[in-house]
Amino acid sequence: MRLDDRARTSGDGSHNEVDVGQDYSNVDRRFAQLDALYRLASVGSSEEHEDLVIEETLRVTREGIGCVAPVLFLVEDGREEMRVVTSSGSDGSLPLSEPSIVRRVLQSGQGEAVNDVVADPESSPVLVDDLGAQQVVAAPVAVGDKRMGVVAGVNSLRGSFTDDDLKLIAVLGDRAACALDNLRLRATLRRQEQEIEGLHRFSRLLTSAESPDDVIGESMRIVADLIEADKVALLLYDEERDELVGHPRIVGMSPDQAPSLRIPMSEPSLSGSVYRTDAPLISNDARHDKWVSDEIRELMGIETLLAVPLATGGRPLGVLKAVNARKGFFDGGDLRFATILGSRICSIIESSRARARERALVQRLREADHTKSEFVSMLAHELKGPMTSIIGFANVLEERWRDLEDDRRDRIVDLVTKEVRRLARLVDDLLDLSRMDAGMLRYGMEPVALQNVIRNIVSVHKSLSDKHNLIDSIPAGLPKVLGDPDRIRQVFLNLLTNAVRHSPDGTRIEVIAREQPPGWVEVEVIDEGIGIASADQERIFSKFVNLAKPTWIQKGTGLGLYITKGIVEAHGGEITVDSEEGRGATFRFTLPVAE
């Protein structure tokens, strides 16, 4: 700060030169001024809060220069206005975009004494109307090139301000600047220490073995501690619903309130804007902010709000919200540090999700390995049974062909033929599986009458109806479907074989079909068997799945329903099951109507 050796004072609106070297005429006043300067010089090294430094600066200004109202005009980071602080507290703002005596002092870096404020061409409503200024003496509050504001005395108790008042307020401005700068430097150092400690705590979470929810909960507590906010919430983007959804681990609120914390992306909101633009925002007057919904404001009791994206360079995962700063407002330091914390939380969430995916993958690999082992064991058993029978009967025929009666010889040949067909079905299933997984299973589409398919199956596979009451309820007028006749036959045969295998003898198995507009035929295969637990109803359409069954039920390969589902979906339809344990099952699938 540079104080001119000429200060502008006026009683009639003009600017008169004042001799800076003039001695003080009042010794007592000089001692009072020196005492004020001493107090102000010491306050910066002893006080821990900026408000106390401001309070002492105002008090010393009042006593030192003898004014009615001491005022501090403080520059706000990132804002084109100065905060006006009087002895009664913050009292509005002074725009830097408008001419004023205060702006002139700030920009020139020189103190001024104006004893006719109204006559000054750059008087402002804040000085004249709000502060009732008739005279004002002001000096910049600055350290080097760092301009923090202006200290001013309004309306002299002696009728006008002198060059002595100007010199003193210039020194007061210097001392206040040093005190505020030292205080802010100490605050910056404390914040940096907190940031380092907070980042260290976050780094430990990155390698934590805790569950993702526990990691997120601890992250929220760290953010609340470091930013000193009453409430901290995490909103994760739900792509299916296109909205930001509150995570249950909310600091300062009950987990039961999390389901109500939903912000649709289709509606204008501060959090939605942060997510879309990947840029942090502050609202220190959230009570009147139209970008904060009334519902969310009421739910969280929002007065001040800070929101930062959860992102590490790519698309954000969501938004981190800090609500109600304990110091009354969020500042640029909070915004910068919260942005860092948001990126760290994003890394933690991604790391936790990656570990969860890895654990799930390992579990699936273990299940696949176990399934493969079971399949190999099943396949060996399925092959061994027919092969043993075929070899045994072949040996009998070879050794006793001439000794066997014709009817016994025919029965043995029938048994061998049956076992060969059983092997052929197993091989066909394995070939279909291989082709289906490779996308090479071919279909010859043509109009197909489902009535003919069912009648052909019943006439050829009489074992399906030997011990069960098989009912064909397909109406005669049912339209033909478009499909591969052999594959559709395979679907019916698989479902009917499955129903027979899982139903006690003498029970009913019914096939129903109906037209379902627009352009579909729906088929149901209903049995009165052992049923399927709800937890297993999706699994049964997977490869190699064999559920726990009573001992009287013969195990299959675990491929039939998987292949059936693939064939139905290849025709553009879908297949589902409706069942309860002990109450049978209804397999329902759809096929397109032939045009």
Side-chain angles (χ1 to χ4, degrees):
M1 197 281 306
R2 182 173 65 83
L3 175 66
D4 263 0
D5 57 358
R6 295 180 181 274
R8 287 178 272 186
T9 65
S10 64
D12 57 0
S14 63
H15 296 273
N16 301 319
E17 296 186 357
V18 177
D19 185 4
V20 176
Q22 180 179 351
D23 293 334
Y24 290 111
S25 60
N26 190 323
V27 175
D28 290 339
R29 185 167 177 244
R30 178 182 289 272
F31 275 112
Q33 292 171 342
L34 290 173
D35 180 60
L37 288 172
Y38 173 78
R39 292 200 308 272
L40 188 57
S42 62
V43 72
S45 61
S46 61
E47 299 294 351
E48 292 295 324
H49 298 288
E50 186 171 301
D51 289 346
L52 297 177
V53 174
I54 292 172
E55 181 183 339
E56 187 65 15
T57 300
L58 294 172
R59 187 173 69 82
V60 169
T61 301
R62 181 196 298 274
E63 295 175 1
I65 66 172
C67 65
V68 174
V71 186
L72 264 175
F73 300 88
L74 296 176
V75 174
E76 301 274 71
D77 288 341
R79 302 179 67 178
E80 289 299 314
E81 61 185 15
M82 303 175 74
R83 182 163 57 103
V84 181
V85 185
T86 64
S87 298
S88 60
S90 294
D91 193 18
S93 61
L94 177 72
L96 285 172
S97 59
E98 300 176 4
S100 67
I101 297 170
V102 174
R103 188 183 76 164
R104 193 167 68 209
V105 169
L106 179 71
Q107 292 178 344
S108 68
Q110 300 175 5
E112 291 189 31
V114 179
N115 281 317
D116 189 352
V117 172
V118 176
D120 191 284
E122 293 188 350
S123 62
S124 66
V126 172
L127 283 176
V128 177
D129 299 332
D130 298 345
L131 298 174
Q134 298 175 6
Q135 310 97 30
V136 64
V137 61
V141 177
V143 176
D145 294 332
K146 189 188 300 181
R147 297 177 182 180
M148 292 179 278
V150 173
V151 60
V154 174
N155 297 341
S156 172
L157 295 175
R158 297 181 303 280
S160 65
F161 291 113
T162 67
D163 59 331
D164 290 339
D165 298 325
L166 182 57
K167 288 175 63 177
L168 179 60
I169 202 167
V171 177
L172 290 176
D174 278 346
R175 296 299 91 206
C178 291
L180 288 172
D181 193 46
N182 288 338
L183 189 64
R184 290 174 181 179
L185 284 174
R186 288 200 298 271
T188 299
L189 289 174
R190 285 196 301 271
R191 168 56 68 91
Q192 289 175 348
E193 291 175 357
Q194 292 174 339
E195 290 178 3
I196 292 171
E197 172 59 25
L199 294 176
H200 180 61
R201 291 168 66 184
F202 271 108
S203 66
R204 291 198 297 268
L205 286 178
L206 282 170
T207 56
S208 172
E210 298 181 19
S211 69
D213 285 349
D214 290 338
V215 170
I216 290 173
E218 181 60 23
S219 300
M220 296 298 94
R221 287 188 287 273
I222 293 174
V223 172
D225 290 344
L226 297 180
I227 299 182
E228 297 184 343
D230 289 341
K231 299 171 185 174
V232 176
L234 196 67
L235 303 174
L236 297 176
Y237 179 64
D238 185 332
E239 187 170 2
E240 183 178 345
R241 298 183 178 182
D242 192 31
E243 62 183 11
L244 294 168
V245 182
H247 190 276
R249 302 299 178 91
I250 305 177
V251 174
M253 295 177 62
S254 168
D256 297 337
Q257 294 176 290
S260 301
L261 192 56
R262 293 181 176 273
I263 301 177
M265 295 299 292
S266 58
E267 300 176 5
S269 67
L270 189 141
S271 296
S273 178
V274 168
Y275 178 82
R276 281 190 294 268
T277 62
D278 194 15
L281 290 173
I282 287 177
S283 177
N284 279 324
D285 189 17
R287 286 174 296 182
H288 305 101
D289 195 329
K290 64 180 182 180
W291 285 83
V292 180
S293 72
D294 293 337
E295 182 181 353
I296 299 299
R297 184 187 295 114
E298 182 178 351
L299 177 66
M300 302 189 74
I302 300 175
E303 296 182 359
T304 58
L305 174 64
L306 180 152
V308 300
L310 296 174
T312 57
R315 181 182 178 184
L317 297 180
V319 173
L320 173 67
K321 292 179 67 169
V323 173
N324 298 346
R326 292 169 195 156
K327 61 177 177 286
F329 61 93
F330 292 108
D331 56 29
D334 297 324
L335 192 68
R336 179 187 62 81
F337 189 39
T339 302
I340 295 173
L341 297 180
S343 67
R344 294 297 186 274
I345 292 175
C346 182
S347 297
I348 289 170
I349 293 174
E350 289 178 338
S351 178
S352 297
R353 288 179 174 179
R355 289 198 298 272
R357 287 193 297 268
E358 288 173 1
R359 287 193 292 268
L361 177 60
V362 169
Q363 181 62 30
R364 287 197 299 270
L365 290 174
R366 287 174 178 168
E367 290 177 356
D369 186 65
H370 178 69
T371 300
K372 182 184 73 173
S373 299
E374 285 192 335
F375 174 70
V376 171
S377 175
M378 177 276 304
L379 187 60
H381 179 269
E382 288 292 311
L383 290 172
K384 184 178 180 180
M387 291 299 293
T388 301
S389 299
I390 291 170
I391 292 171
F393 287 131
N395 289 334
V396 171
L397 291 176
E398 181 182 21
E399 295 173 0
R400 301 180 55 194
W401 177 268
R402 293 184 177 82
D403 300 333
L404 293 174
E405 297 178 358
D406 290 344
D407 58 342
R408 183 171 174 82
R409 187 187 303 126
D410 292 341
R411 284 198 303 271
I412 292 176
V413 171
D414 288 341
L415 290 173
V416 170
T417 302
K418 180 180 177 182
E419 295 299 329
V420 169
R421 287 174 178 167
R422 181 178 166 190
L423 284 176
R425 284 197 301 271
L426 178 59
V427 171
D428 286 341
D429 282 349
L430 293 174
L431 289 174
D432 286 344
L433 172 66
S434 176
R435 293 179 185 132
M436 188 174 290
D437 288 344
M440 297 175 62
L441 195 60
R442 298 185 180 278
Y443 297 88
M445 298 299 192
E446 61 182 70
V448 179
L450 296 185
Q451 306 94 320
N452 296 339
V453 173
I454 286 294
R455 288 163 192 157
N456 175 266
I457 290 174
V458 172
S459 63
V460 173
H461 299 274
K462 297 189 179 297
S463 60
L464 294 175
S465 56
D466 282 348
K467 298 180 180 179
H468 296 82
N469 183 16
L470 182 57
I471 300 174
D472 175 5
S473 298
I474 297 179
L478 187 72
K480 292 182 179 181
V481 300
L482 181 64
D484 184 312
D486 292 333
R487 296 303 175 186
I488 292 176
R489 183 178 186 280
Q490 187 176 359
V491 168
F492 276 106
L493 184 58
N494 283 348
L495 291 177
L496 289 171
T497 302
N498 188 70
V500 168
R501 182 183 297 148
H502 295 87
S503 301
D505 293 348
T507 57
R508 173 177 172 176
I509 298 172
E510 185 175 9
V511 180
I512 300 175
R514 64 182 70 88
E515 186 176 4
Q516 289 283 11
W520 294 92
V521 168
E522 182 182 74
V523 181
E524 292 181 350
V525 177
I526 307 169
D527 66 54
E528 298 175 345
I530 61 173
I532 306 165
S534 57
D536 295 326
Q537 289 179 15
E538 287 191 14
R539 290 183 59 227
I540 59 172
F541 292 105
S542 300
K543 287 185 287 189
F544 311 131
V545 172
N546 268 303
L547 305 179
K549 303 178 179 113
T551 55
W552 55 269
I553 296 178
Q554 181 183 358
K555 280 191 176 183
T557 61
L559 296 176
L561 290 178
Y562 175 79
I563 293 172
T564 297
K565 182 174 185 290
I567 293 173
V568 170
E569 291 179 350
H571 283 75
E574 61 179 17
I575 184 168
T576 59
V577 62
D578 183 13
S579 179
E580 292 183 32
E581 283 189 277
R583 297 198 172 187
T586 298
F587 283 86
R588 187 176 294 109
F589 66 93
T590 56
L591 294 170
V593 172
E595 295 182 358

